[in-house]
Amino acid sequence: NAGVTQTPKFRVLKTGQSMTLLCAQDMNHEYMYWYRQDPGMGLRLIHYSVGEGTTAKGEVPDGYNVSRLKKQNFLLGLESAAPSQTSVYFCASTYLGVNTEAFFGQGTRLTVV
Amino acid sequence: GENVEQHPSTLSVQEGDSAVIKCTYSDSASNYFPWYKQELGKGPQLIIDIRSNVGEKKDQRIAVTLNKTAKHFSLHITETQPEDSAVYFCAASMGGNTPLVFGKGTRLSVIA
């Protein structure tokens, strides 16, 4: 039981490049989330999903897209990376609903130059 | 929407002393208040949570108190140890499909 796994762990992108971050969970959780963590800003929600095939915008969705084609996977896409998207990205999942323990991945450190 | 304020942003205590971190929330409909601990290079991990029908909850050296009237909740760590050094986040949610809103975090340093 690996929990929540994020791929890749580190990445450097040039401005304008695109990439996809993959989050996989093996706990049969319904809800999945993508956060970004910046110094002094805490954890800010980018997008989330309440079940397979669903997605919803969070607090800071601009410049990102997501897909939840399979229950166990939640993909975060950057269409045209900008330096402002330099951050640490965390994926999380919860079993049923938002008012239960969230399990986080180890994070992806993304630098856009 | 919900807004969660967390104080202080940094906290240093001597080993064995107590540490208190405070959070306030804006939406009186919020009913779930978890606390997460993030160690260096890792993702946050739940350490304790409290729901709005309870005023206090304790788990060994960690306790959380909730004041619904004042809309604030606090994390108390007693007999601090060096391994308690980490960033702590509070959060609040009103349930349904409304995700957690996190505070900005408190960096706790326990000095041996």
Side-chain angles (χ1 to χ4, degrees):
Chain A
N1 191 335
V4 178
T5 303
Q6 292 183 229
T7 309
K9 290 183 171 48
F10 303 93
R11 185 72 186 268
V12 178
L13 281 181
K14 292 183 179 179
T15 298
Q17 286 185 320
S18 63
M19 78 164 294
T20 300
L21 282 67
L22 170 63
C23 177
Q25 53 92 5
D26 61 1
M27 298 173 285
N28 199 34
H29 284 181
E30 289 292 333
Y31 289 53
M32 296 186 74
Y33 316 82
W34 276 107
Y35 293 90
R36 61 178 287 172
Q37 183 175 28
D38 303 292
M41 299 298 291
L43 292 160
R44 293 184 292 169
L45 183 65
I46 304 171
H47 286 280
Y48 64 104
S49 168
V50 301
E52 181 179 321
T54 75
T55 62
K57 293 180 180 179
E59 179 187 356
V60 288
D62 293 344
Y64 305 95
N65 57 75
V66 288
S67 64
R68 184 98 182 268
L69 299 179
K70 293 182 179 181
K71 184 177 183 178
Q72 64 267 33
N73 295 338
F74 195 28
L75 278 63
L76 177 71
L78 284 71
E79 298 165 341
S80 179
S84 60
Q85 295 177 303
T86 294
S87 187
V88 180
Y89 292 86
F90 285 99
C91 175
S93 68
T94 55
Y95 179 49
L96 282 175
V98 300
N99 285 5
T100 57
E101 180 176 2
F103 291 83
F104 283 81
Q106 293 278 73
T108 296
R109 183 173 294 276
L110 175 66
T111 302
V112 183
V113 298
Chain B
E2 177 64 276
N3 182 51
V4 177
E5 299 283 341
Q6 183 171 348
H7 299 281
S9 57
T10 61
L11 179 61
S12 292
V13 298
Q14 293 288 331
E15 182 179 359
D17 287 350
S18 296
V20 180
I21 304 171
K22 299 181 179 181
C23 289
T24 60
Y25 61 99
S26 61
D27 197 324
S28 56
S30 288
N31 55 23
Y32 177 63
F33 307 92
W35 286 88
Y36 285 81
K37 176 183 181 183
Q38 185 180 26
E39 297 177 343
L40 194 62
K42 297 184 177 181
Q45 192 168 12
L46 180 72
I47 55 171
I48 195 168
D49 58 11
I50 191 168
R51 300 181 190 273
S52 59
N53 58 345
V54 175
E56 184 174 1
K57 185 176 180 180
K58 192 173 181 179
D59 183 4
Q60 298 183 334
R61 297 186 297 107
I62 294 174
V64 57
T65 58
L66 172 64
N67 183 326
K68 288 189 296 181
T69 303
K71 289 189 283 188
H72 68 69
F73 56 113
S74 301
L75 177 71
H76 304 254
I77 306 174
T78 59
E79 301 173 16
T80 53
Q81 301 167 4
E83 52 264 38
D84 294 328
S85 295
V87 178
Y88 292 81
F89 292 98
C90 64
S93 169
M94 64 181 73
N97 284 342
T98 306
L100 287 171
V101 175
F102 285 85
K104 289 182 167 48
T106 296
R107 183 174 298 279
L108 173 65
S109 299
V110 180
I111 304 164

